[in-house]
Amino acid sequence: MEKYVRRNHKDSLFRFIFGNPNEKQFTLDLYNAINNTNYTNTDDLQLITLENSLYVTVRNDVSILINDTMNFLEHQSTINQNMPFRCLEYYVESVKEYCISNNLKMNRSAVQKIPAPHFFVLYNGVRKAPAISEMKLSDMFISEAKGDLEAAVRMININFGENNELMKRCRPLYEYAWFEDRVRKRSRGVQGDQKEILTRAVMDTIAEMSDDFVLKRLLGANAEEVANMFITNATEESIREDGYEEGKAEGLAQGLEEGKAEGLAVGRAEGLEEGINSSIIKVFSRFIARGMDKDEAVHETAELLEVTEEYVSNVLMEQNKESEM
């Protein structure tokens, strides 16, 4: 049974295409392309994407189980060097669920066999990035001393025009990259209402697709929802850029100034923390202004700034205390 529950916010276009249980052929094509495999039966593929629940507090974009391997695919428009740790979290949570489903007990003396993980970040941001690169968990260690744990994440640049051989092996990925590129070019630098601009760009790009595009049926039948995905993504990027960078810069400057007497290093650390807290307050306020309820705004703020919901709630609580004084 597929474990796929729609998120309480709009899916990304990537997830809508490649994490869709009703379009598993697209998922299988992508899996084969990045793993150099030749599976042909979509029944071999199981979507095990993590969703928020009472017991699972992390979620990811697309997770795939085929035979004895798990693939974790994360789509990102900004480069995040912390992905090895995050992917390790996804794997641990997924293996927990796998053990429950397969009645595996780790307190038994016999070896309990579990699937091997493979981690991928599929990047399509505007910043230049190599065709393929690798991030390792050990790169995050405080010291250069080798630990007893490693996790490697392959980052693949899927911008249109990059990794042409990979695109040839996966027609849906090629069309996805083309579609994102066309919408981006149609909407870039255009003055006016952002929602109207993006909606028109999406509609015009769907209309431009020739009949042999394998994604045309899916995108055409869900044109309005696809447009909303781009609008939501643009809004989140704007909030992230305006709130996080501004708040971090303000907090850093304040922390450095106040910390001069105690030393530059202390001031810098305090400034960065102050900046994150300032970002939380600004991002949360903007989500509330857009009509979100408090719980959803806390969740989305934590998601955007990559902190825990508990940390966001504590920052907001402290702010309320200061406001009441």
Side-chain angles (χ1 to χ4, degrees), residues 159-221:
N159 276 297
F160 189 65
E162 299 284 348
N163 279 302
N164 290 324
E165 288 302 315
L166 174 67
M167 298 295 178
K168 290 178 182 178
R169 296 198 300 270
C170 183
R171 179 69 184 186
L173 184 63
Y174 169 85
E175 292 182 11
Y176 166 79
W178 175 88
F179 191 88
E180 288 269 2
D181 183 68
R182 294 297 290 157
V183 172
R184 184 180 292 168
K185 287 178 177 177
R186 277 194 162 101
S187 57
R188 181 184 298 151
V190 180
Q191 300 298 317
D193 182 86
Q194 189 73 2
K195 291 183 180 180
E196 292 181 2
I197 292 168
L198 286 170
T199 299
R200 175 51 54 192
V202 167
M203 299 304 176
D204 288 348
T205 303
I206 292 175
E208 184 185 353
M209 300 173 82
S210 61
D211 290 338
D212 64 345
F213 271 52
V214 298
L215 295 184
K216 185 170 185 176
R217 169 189 53 80
L218 177 64
L219 302 187

Side-chain angles (χ1 to χ4, degrees), residues 10 77 193-196 198 227-244 282-283 286-292 300 304:
K10 292 292 183 182
S77 58
D193 182 86
Q194 189 73 2
K195 291 183 180 180
E196 292 181 2
L198 286 170
N228 285 333
M229 292 174 194
F230 278 91
I231 292 168
T232 299
N233 181 67
T235 301
E236 290 182 349
E237 288 294 327
S238 175
I239 291 173
R240 186 200 299 269
E241 187 174 321
D242 293 345
Y244 182 68
K282 291 181 179 181
V283 170
R286 294 184 187 189
F287 277 133
I288 292 294
R290 284 169 168 77
M292 285 189 185
E300 294 295 343
L304 275 176

Side-chain angles (χ1 to χ4, degrees), residues 24 28 39-46 64-67:
K24 290 173 67 175
L28 186 62
Y39 289 100
T40 58
N41 187 355
T42 56
D43 291 337
D44 292 336
L45 180 151
Q46 183 181 356
I64 304 167
L65 174 64
I66 293 186
N67 293 335

